[in-house]
Amino acid sequence: MKLTQGLKMAVKSVLSNKLRTVLSMLGILIGVATVIALVAMGKASSNEVAKQVSSLGSPNSLSVTIVGRGTVTTLSVDEANELGEIANVAGVAPVTSTTGYAKYGKTQVSVTVEGITTAYEDVKAFPVQDGRYIASPDIHNNTKVALLGVATAADLFEDEGVDPAAAVGKKITINGYMFTIVGLLESQGSSLTGSNDEKILIPVSTAQKIFQTSGVSTINLIVSDTKLMASTVTAVEAVLYEKFRGNENSYRVLNQEEAMKTLNSVNETMNRQLIYVAIISLIVGGIGIMNIMLVSVTERTREIGIRKSLGAKKRDILFQFLVEAVCISGLGGALGIGLGYAASFIIGMVMQTETEVPIDTVMLAFAFSAFVGVVFGYLPANKAAGLRPVDALRHD
């Protein structure tokens, strides 16, 4: 039997009983659609994780958090800057952070206030959209100048009828101290550590003076060569190990690349398990096709007997029913792809995130659905091919 002839007979048989065809392909359709929707969700989740992790800083950045040892819970600015002497470290931005109360007119907000050095802009890649950054004279002279995040500017000025974009030059108070706003930061959105737009940056020396702190608890580093990241982390940990006299619990070094790998690994594990569930759905769909095909063979026993008595060979009958099973599963797979795309679009709308359906996943899902048709269609096809013409013609 030629392939074209087999396809024509299969299509004719499939179309002759539409309800049965729809019911038998339902499992494959749902299985393929589930695979595509889950992969789209997984990609959206991965993209969101990458976005969140990248908001912590550039891929070549490191973050050191000082937890402390005994009564020593911070490092001095000079001690933090010593980390810049480590090979491959290109920049150091120590930060002291606390919560303060900012006030403009009658509006007062609780906000994170970070004391920074001049290196903060380059190391954290956090530029201003208006005004200027903290300069060296500001730190040496304990100047009361501040940079505002866009969300904080909106919180302070909108209720007072002032355009937040015109914040530069205005004066606010932070914990009762008068500050002049010299810059408005660009919007950076939120990260795993919270909103980057709800903060005020002031000179580190000024922060230590008004908040009566003597050190920094966070140190941001940037490296020259990301290929040497592992050795750089080891060198940083060695310096901290010596400063805290062997107490490894006094500090934490966060490698952004490692953080991304860990989060992506967790994400991929969850997605893999969900896809396994979808594959089980495909197999259940294949069992449904096998059951329907077995019923079809029983109902068409006389047809098989007539064909064999007219000269059809065993392989012709086997081929006919196999093609029919593959047509059902392939059609179910094709409709499942369309349903999967629609589901991923709806999921993206509901979750307000950008979903992505890789073309190789679509091809793999369709190929697997056709493979399921071959595997589960073989048993009924072989049963039909093995019928003796005399017995088949006697079948009532």
Side-chain angles (χ1 to χ4, degrees):
M1 179 186 290
K2 294 181 180 178
L3 179 61
T4 53
Q5 185 182 2
L7 284 173
K8 286 180 181 177
M9 293 179 67
V11 171
K12 185 178 179 182
S13 174
V14 166
L15 295 178
S16 64
N17 198 330
K18 297 182 180 63
L19 180 60
R20 177 185 294 178
T21 302
V22 170
L23 291 176
S24 57
M25 75 170 62
L26 207 54
I28 298 293
L29 189 153
I30 294 173
V32 171
T34 304
V35 168
I36 292 175
L38 288 176
V39 170
M41 285 177 60
K43 283 289 181 182
S45 179
S46 297
N47 292 338
E48 193 65 24
V49 167
K51 184 180 176 183
Q52 291 286 323
V53 174
S54 64
S55 64
L56 293 173
S58 58
N60 58 343
S61 64
L62 281 172
S63 177
V64 178
T65 302
I66 306 299
V67 180
R69 176 177 178 271
T71 57
V72 181
T73 57
T74 59
L75 290 179
S76 68
V77 174
D78 290 339
E79 287 176 320
N81 284 328
E82 288 175 7
L83 296 177
E85 298 172 3
I86 296 173
N88 197 40
V89 174
V92 182
V95 175
T96 180
S97 180
T98 188
T99 300
Y101 292 94
K103 187 175 182 181
Y104 179 78
K106 296 181 180 179
T107 303
Q108 177 171 290
V109 297
S110 175
V111 64
T112 299
V113 181
E114 293 184 348
I116 64 168
T117 64
T118 56
Y120 188 93
E121 180 180 11
D122 294 330
V123 173
K124 293 285 289 182
F126 202 168
V128 293
Q129 58 172 292
D130 189 24
R132 67 171 178 86
Y133 231 83
I134 302 293
S136 295
D138 297 323
I139 296 174
H140 295 147
N141 300 321
N142 298 337
T143 309
K144 293 185 177 61
V145 294
L147 294 96
L148 296 190
V150 289
T152 298
D155 292 341
L156 278 175
F157 297 122
E158 282 185 343
D159 289 344
E160 299 295 327
V162 176
D163 183 5
V168 175
K170 299 282 188 303
K171 293 186 181 297
I172 62 172
T173 61
I174 301 174
N175 283 19
Y177 294 90
M178 186 68 72
F179 278 77
T180 301
I181 301 171
V182 295
L184 182 64
L185 296 164
E186 285 192 353
S187 178
Q188 296 281 324
S190 298
S191 68
L192 295 174
T193 57
S195 174
N196 291 307
D197 298 332
E198 296 178 350
K199 65 170 63 176
I200 295 177
L201 306 182
I202 63 176
V204 64
S205 55
T206 307
Q208 290 175 337
K209 184 176 180 180
I210 68 173
F211 293 114
Q212 297 182 347
T213 58
S214 57
V216 294
S217 55
T218 303
I219 306 166
N220 301 288
L221 306 174
I222 193 166
V223 302
S224 302
D225 188 352
T226 54
K227 294 179 181 177
L228 302 176
M229 181 67 83
S231 61
T232 306
V233 170
T234 302
V236 170
E237 289 176 337
V239 172
L240 295 172
Y241 185 84
E242 185 176 347
K243 285 189 178 297
F244 288 98
R245 300 177 183 178
N247 190 336
E248 296 178 343
N249 295 323
S250 298
Y251 54 86
R252 290 196 298 270
V253 180
L254 175 65
N255 177 352
Q256 188 188 2
E257 189 178 2
E258 289 297 324
M260 183 175 288
K261 284 181 180 176
T262 302
L263 290 172
N264 277 335
S265 176
V266 173
N267 200 33
E268 286 173 3
T269 301
M270 292 180 63
N271 291 336
R272 199 180 301 120
Q273 291 175 346
L274 290 173
I275 289 175
Y276 288 156
V277 174
I279 289 175
I280 292 173
S281 174
L282 279 172
I283 293 173
V284 171
I287 294 173
I289 289 178
M290 184 174 66
N291 289 335
I292 295 294
M293 290 297 295
L294 285 171
V295 173
S296 178
V297 169
T298 303
E299 290 180 346
R300 294 159 62 187
T301 301
R302 286 184 63 82
E303 173 193 330
I304 296 168
I306 293 171
R307 288 199 61 207
K308 280 199 164 185
S309 64
L310 293 175
K313 297 179 180 178
K314 180 179 179 179
R315 65 170 181 272
D316 295 330
I317 304 298
L318 182 71
F319 181 72
Q320 176 190 349
F321 279 87
L322 268 182
V323 170
E324 199 170 314
V326 173
C327 279
I328 294 173
S329 61
L331 186 59
L335 294 175
I337 290 170
L339 184 61
Y341 268 102
S344 65
F345 177 76
I346 294 171
I347 289 169
M349 292 281 289
V350 173
M351 296 177 65
Q352 295 185 336
T353 184
E354 187 175 348
T355 56
E356 181 182 343
V357 182
I359 190 66
D360 55 343
T361 300
V362 174
M363 300 296 290
L364 186 63
F366 181 77
F368 190 77
S369 67
F371 176 72
V372 166
V374 173
V375 171
F376 290 94
Y378 181 79
L379 178 64
N382 188 54
K383 180 182 177 183
L387 287 173
R388 295 174 58 197
V390 176
D391 295 335
L393 289 171
R394 287 178 178 171
H395 183 78
D396 189 4

